Amino acid sequence: MAKHQTTPEQHSVRLLKVGEQVRHVISEILTRQQVHDEVLTAHSVSVTEVRMTPDLRQATVYVKPLLGQDEEVVLKALRTNTAFFQREVAQRLKLKFAAKIRFRSDETFDEASRIDALLNDPRVKRDLED
């Protein structure tokens, strides 16, 4: 029997869908405080994005604590509980392989603030008005 071929577009859509499902599962776990960790219970954490590798075996989860407070402490707590998150994601999504999860800090908010500050600089505004 011939193996069904997928196009690159279909493959990337699958990556996005699975990444979004993983994001929802992790967000739900954090929202419902199902992780028995004092640090994670004390902080609100946003899961901003999940990027999956093409083989769906690794997931990079980008997170940001509310107001950016205690970011390193929260990341350490998340990394300490990685096995719990991996087990929960595997059970809830019923994927062929359990994705190895890596937690990273989401720097997009900081980068957006930096760009906004640059655009509000009087010298830049002067150039944009011309």
Side-chain angles (χ1 to χ4, degrees), residues 3-19:
K3 185 176 179 182
H4 179 67
Q5 297 293 322
T6 60
T7 65
E9 293 83 15
Q10 291 171 326
H11 192 69
S12 65
V13 170
R14 171 116 171 103
L15 292 177
L16 292 171
K17 284 181 179 180
V18 172

Side-chain angles (χ1 to χ4, degrees), residues 29-45:
I29 291 168
L30 291 169
T31 301
R32 295 186 179 188
Q33 299 182 347
Q34 294 173 331
V35 182
H36 301 293
D37 187 292
E38 292 176 13
V39 173
L40 297 177
T41 303
H43 291 83
S44 292
V45 180

Side-chain angles (χ1 to χ4, degrees), residues 13 19-20 28 35 38 47 50 52 54 56 67 70 73 77-78 83 89 100 103-104 109 114 117-118 120 126-127:
V13 170
E20 192 63 16
E28 184 179 336
V35 182
E38 292 176 13
V47 180
V50 175
M52 302 296 297
L56 300 176
L67 303 175
D70 303 324
V73 175
L78 287 167
V89 167
K100 182 177 185 292
F103 289 99
R104 301 272 189 262
F109 296 109
R114 188 183 72 76
L118 285 173
N120 286 327
R126 179 190 68 220
D127 291 344

Side-chain angles (χ1 to χ4, degrees), residues 8-9 26 31-33 42 46 53 58 61 67 80-81 84 92 101 116 122:
E9 293 83 15
I26 294 174
T31 301
R32 295 186 179 188
Q33 299 182 347
S46 295
T53 57
Q58 292 185 356
V61 180
L67 303 175
T80 302
N81 292 289
F84 172 78
R92 294 182 190 192
I101 296 175
D116 195 41

Side-chain angles (χ1 to χ4, degrees), residues 87-126:
R87 186 172 54 252
E88 286 296 312
V89 167
Q91 286 175 354
R92 294 182 190 192
L93 296 184
K94 296 177 178 49
L95 295 173
K96 186 175 183 179
F97 300 103
K100 182 177 185 292
I101 296 175
R102 294 180 301 189
F103 289 99
R104 301 272 189 262
S105 175
D106 188 356
E107 303 297 331
T108 55
F109 296 109
D110 299 333
E111 186 65 18
S113 296
R114 188 183 72 76
I115 291 170
D116 195 41
L118 285 173
L119 291 174
N120 286 327
D121 185 303
R123 294 174 291 179
V124 173
K125 280 188 174 184
R126 179 190 68 220

